[in-house]
Amino acid sequence: MADQIPTRESLAGFLVTEPQLTTTAGGAYRLAARVGVDHWSRDPDGARRRLEPSFHTLAIYGDLAARLAGEFHKGDRFVAAGRTRSYPVDRVGVEDVRYEFVATRIGHDATESALDRSMAHHPTNQARHLDTHRAQDAAKVPASGRRLRAVPDLPAQPTLVRHGSPRDGVASPLGT
C-alpha cells in the first residue's frame, strides 16, 4: 500500500493589479490583488486554444503579507497554494457572496516567464551600491542561470553564536 500524498488547493495566474498592503479590522496585514487565470480548450484535432481568462481576488494575510509586500508586481506570473474563502457582502440591502483565494505559499511561476534576477537589476543593489565601478561590474554579469540574493553587510566584529536547540529559547542569528 502506497503512502498518500498530502495535497492542497492551488492557483496559477498573473497579477492584473499592483498588490496593495492594508490591515484588517483586527489589525492583521492583508496583501491583495486582482489576478487573472488563463483557460485553455482542446480542439477535436488536438490543438490547444486559449480561452478568455477569468479574474479573481488573491489575498495573503499576516506576517507573510508584510514580508511579500513589494516582491510581486502587476504582470508577474505566480503559483500559489492555499484555499478558497467565501465571505458575505451586504450592498444596499442586497446580500451577496464573494470569493477570494487565500494563499499560504506563493512564488513566481518560472515555467511561464523568464524573470530577470541578475544582481544589476536587484532593487537592493540599486539602492545600496553607489559605487559606479561596482554597479558597472554587476551589469556585465551575464543574465543566465540562478542568481543569489544580496546578503546584507555583516558586522565588523564576529558575533557569538550559541549552538543548541531552538527550543532552549536562544535563536541563532543565522536562522534555522
Side-chain angles (χ1 to χ4, degrees):
M1 182 166 102
D3 291 334
Q4 204 168 15
I5 299 174
T7 60
R8 66 174 62 161
E9 223 177 312
S10 66
L11 181 68
F14 55 95
L15 293 172
V16 176
T17 62
E18 196 67 29
Q20 297 296 313
L21 183 64
T22 59
T23 55
T24 65
Y29 290 112
R30 179 180 188 261
L31 185 65
R34 291 293 287 171
V35 298
V37 177
D38 290 321
H39 297 279
W40 297 86
S41 171
R42 191 163 298 277
D43 291 338
D45 65 354
R48 287 182 51 172
R49 183 171 41 101
R50 176 178 261 169
L51 303 174
E52 289 294 315
S54 58
F55 298 95
H56 313 279
T57 300
L58 172 75
I60 304 167
Y61 289 91
D63 293 338
L64 181 60
R67 281 198 324 259
L68 291 177
E71 291 291 322
F72 289 87
H73 301 285
K74 181 178 176 179
D76 285 355
R77 290 200 163 268
F78 68 90
V79 176
R83 64 182 175 82
T84 302
R85 179 181 86 90
S86 64
Y87 57 96
V89 175
D90 187 15
R91 304 271 186 204
V92 192
V94 177
E95 197 169 305
D96 194 13
V97 176
R98 299 253 173 109
Y99 299 92
E100 69 181 7
F101 187 82
V102 179
T104 54
R105 296 184 184 278
I106 188 168
H108 290 280
D109 187 352
T111 61
E112 291 291 329
S113 64
L115 296 172
D116 182 4
R117 295 292 187 215
S118 67
M119 296 310 288
H121 295 91
H122 196 279
T124 57
N125 277 345
Q126 290 175 356
R128 186 179 307 146
H129 300 296
L130 300 177
D131 184 346
T132 57
H133 297 302
R134 290 184 69 186
Q136 288 172 354
D137 291 343
K140 293 177 186 175
V141 175
S144 63
R146 295 185 147 236
R147 297 284 181 245
L148 298 175
R149 286 190 167 211
V151 177
D153 293 332
L154 297 175
Q157 297 296 320
T159 320
L160 177 62
V161 177
R162 181 177 163 194
H163 297 283
S165 168
R167 292 183 210 133
D168 66 4
V170 177
S172 168
L174 303 176
T176 57

